[in-house]
Amino acid sequence: MRSIWNGSVSFGLVSIPVKLMNATENHSISFRQIHLSDGGRIRYHKVCELDEEEVPASETVKAYEDTDGSVIPVTDEDLASLPLPTARTIEIEGFVPASAIDPLQLDSAYYLSANGVPAAKPYALLREALRRSGRVAVAKYALRGRERLGMLRVVGDVIAMHGLLWPDEIRAPEGVAPDADVKVRDAELDLADALMNTLGDADLETLHDDYREAVEELVAAKAAGEPVTQEAAEEPEGKVIDLMAALENSVRAANESHGQDGEVADVHHIGSGGGGGGKKTGAASKGAPAKKTARGRAAASRTSAEKTSGGRTAAKTPAAKSPKAGKPTAKKATAKRTTAKKTTAKKATAKKATAKNSRGARKRTSA
């Protein structure tokens, strides 16, 4: 990798010569502007607005525009004369837990490389000190004409540095949050938890830029003179949705995409109390606790049984099974068979009694 900055890391009285290299690269496809009729490149020229003549780079300097509209030239020599202790030094200011750095502050990422053999020992010393402490170093450095804030941390056997935005560059999220009166029911949170567990952990190594691949295929097809067929992306309808139904459908779709049966847990509100006492009744989520799932299935079975008349309608159970959830179902099936036998026996006894009474009545009539 090519270094973009040479200097040193100042760790107290220890100075570590380092080279700075970009840790990331941009893979997005860049386009140029052309004249459609003849394919000629469109180029931009720096033109002075007063004499309308093109200005070469040697005659171009920086300037600061004041609030009253006046322009103050600032040359590179002016900036170089300023006292900037971090011009060639990454000055470590202190150490904090990594959790103390707000991800909103993270900017560009770099690798620090030991610059020369003598730098290897102090470089390794700082690396191992950071690793053992479990903290990150907060530093100041200068790059591309301005002083910046940075964070040093260990990545494998390398010290990485993340450029940080200054705290006053982070905007306060005023007016961004939704209405504070919005209430989320427990049943909705249960389904959201099930969806999160079903989707599982994100494998960052498998994620890629689908749009960039589509652009590459488009360019290749046009270069080969092949017809280009494009499917327009569906625009979101923006209509009010049934949140519970959307969550259930999302869990079903996630199950199907993960090769599961696609069965979605039914959510039953037990009791008449407010507050959305819904329960998850299925193991729709990957890695969900077995005890919680079993309790949910049992609760759903009891609720379904209460809604049926005389036990004639069997309660529906999810496709996912557990030993605890199977016991109530077996008991109900046995009870149902026992009830059916008793009912049949009673009907037979009543029929015999009716027939006996009829024969007795006929004999009395004949007499």
Side-chain angles (χ1 to χ4, degrees), residues 152-330:
L152 276 64
R153 69 183 183 98
V154 178
V155 178
D157 292 330
V158 175
I159 298 176
M161 182 174 73
H162 295 269
L164 299 178
L165 299 176
W166 296 97
D168 61 359
E169 293 179 315
I170 306 296
R171 292 180 174 179
E174 297 176 357
V176 178
D179 188 351
D181 294 334
V182 173
K183 302 296 183 183
V184 179
R185 294 182 297 162
D186 290 341
E188 294 165 342
L189 280 175
D190 287 343
L191 278 175
D193 288 341
L195 177 57
M196 291 170 64
N197 291 328
T198 302
L199 293 175
D201 298 333
D203 186 357
L204 297 180
E205 297 295 330
T206 63
L207 301 179
H208 58 278
D209 189 345
D210 293 321
Y211 179 76
R212 178 169 61 90
E213 291 183 356
V215 172
E216 290 174 346
E217 293 175 1
L218 170 66
V219 172
K222 292 179 75 71
E226 299 175 355
V228 178
T229 57
Q230 298 183 9
E231 297 180 1
E234 295 183 2
E235 293 290 336
E237 298 180 6
K239 62 182 181 180
V240 178
I241 61 172
D242 182 342
L243 185 57
M244 291 294 290
L247 286 170
E248 289 177 350
N249 292 335
S250 299
V251 174
R252 181 182 294 107
N255 276 330
E256 292 174 351
S257 68
H258 285 72
Q260 299 180 20
D261 53 18
E263 189 77 16
V264 178
D266 295 329
V267 177
H268 301 277
H269 300 281
I270 301 176
S272 57
K279 298 289 182 182
K280 262 189 310 193
T281 61
S285 60
K286 180 173 58 180
K291 292 183 179 180
K292 183 176 180 181
T293 304
R295 288 198 300 268
R297 277 196 288 264
S301 299
R302 289 195 300 271
T303 306
S304 300
E306 290 170 0
K307 292 182 179 179
T308 57
S309 57
R312 288 190 297 272
T313 304
K316 295 182 179 180
T317 57
K321 298 179 180 179
S322 70
K324 291 186 178 181
K327 292 180 179 180
T329 305

Side-chain angles (χ1 to χ4, degrees), residues 2-331:
R2 184 175 62 88
S3 64
I4 61 172
W5 182 92
N6 290 346
S8 63
V9 175
S10 177
F11 179 32
L13 297 178
V14 178
S15 181
I16 311 169
V18 294
K19 295 185 290 186
L20 192 68
M21 289 161 283
N22 283 316
T24 62
E25 56 188 4
N26 188 355
H27 288 168
S28 61
I29 297 176
S30 60
F31 294 99
R32 301 188 183 277
Q33 291 185 329
I34 63 170
H35 189 194
L36 184 58
S37 61
D38 56 16
R41 285 278 304 277
I42 303 297
R43 298 183 183 274
Y44 294 92
H45 300 276
K46 296 180 179 180
V47 177
C48 176
E49 65 178 14
L50 296 180
D51 57 20
E52 296 183 355
E53 293 182 1
E54 185 176 349
V55 180
S58 60
E59 298 181 12
T60 303
V61 297
K62 299 181 180 70
Y64 176 80
E65 185 174 358
D66 209 345
T67 55
D68 60 0
S70 59
V71 178
I72 305 169
V74 179
T75 65
D76 291 338
E77 290 75 15
D78 294 332
L79 295 174
S81 65
L82 294 177
L84 187 58
T86 57
R88 308 302 297 175
T89 305
I90 299 172
E91 187 77 32
I92 293 178
E93 301 290 331
F95 301 86
V96 297
S99 59
I101 304 296
D102 191 332
L104 286 173
Q105 289 185 258
L106 295 178
D107 199 1
S108 303
Y110 308 94
Y111 289 134
L112 293 178
S113 172
N115 192 1
V117 175
K121 182 63 178 289
Y123 182 96
L125 172 64
L126 176 59
R127 181 191 64 198
E128 296 308 315
L130 288 172
R131 194 196 307 275
R132 188 168 72 173
S133 69
R135 296 187 293 174
V136 298
V138 176
K140 291 168 66 176
Y141 67 102
L143 183 65
R144 299 188 180 97
R146 56 168 293 196
E147 190 170 54
R148 303 166 188 264
L149 191 63
M151 176 188 73
L152 276 64
R153 69 183 183 98
V154 178
V155 178
D157 292 330
V158 175
I159 298 176
M161 182 174 73
H162 295 269
L164 299 178
L165 299 176
W166 296 97
D168 61 359
E169 293 179 315
I170 306 296
R171 292 180 174 179
E174 297 176 357
V176 178
D179 188 351
D181 294 334
V182 173
K183 302 296 183 183
V184 179
R185 294 182 297 162
D186 290 341
E188 294 165 342
L189 280 175
D190 287 343
L191 278 175
D193 288 341
L195 177 57
M196 291 170 64
N197 291 328
T198 302
L199 293 175
D201 298 333
D203 186 357
L204 297 180
E205 297 295 330
T206 63
L207 301 179
H208 58 278
D209 189 345
D210 293 321
Y211 179 76
R212 178 169 61 90
E213 291 183 356
V215 172
E216 290 174 346
E217 293 175 1
L218 170 66
V219 172
K222 292 179 75 71
E226 299 175 355
V228 178
T229 57
Q230 298 183 9
E231 297 180 1
E234 295 183 2
E235 293 290 336
E237 298 180 6
K239 62 182 181 180
V240 178
I241 61 172
D242 182 342
L243 185 57
M244 291 294 290
L247 286 170
E248 289 177 350
N249 292 335
S250 299
V251 174
R252 181 182 294 107
N255 276 330
E256 292 174 351
S257 68
H258 285 72
Q260 299 180 20
D261 53 18
E263 189 77 16
V264 178
D266 295 329
V267 177
H268 301 277
H269 300 281
I270 301 176
S272 57
K279 298 289 182 182
K280 262 189 310 193
T281 61
S285 60
K286 180 173 58 180
K291 292 183 179 180
K292 183 176 180 181
T293 304
R295 288 198 300 268
R297 277 196 288 264
S301 299
R302 289 195 300 271
T303 306
S304 300
E306 290 170 0
K307 292 182 179 179
T308 57
S309 57
R312 288 190 297 272
T313 304
K316 295 182 179 180
T317 57
K321 298 179 180 179
S322 70
K324 291 186 178 181
K327 292 180 179 180
T329 305
K331 290 180 180 180

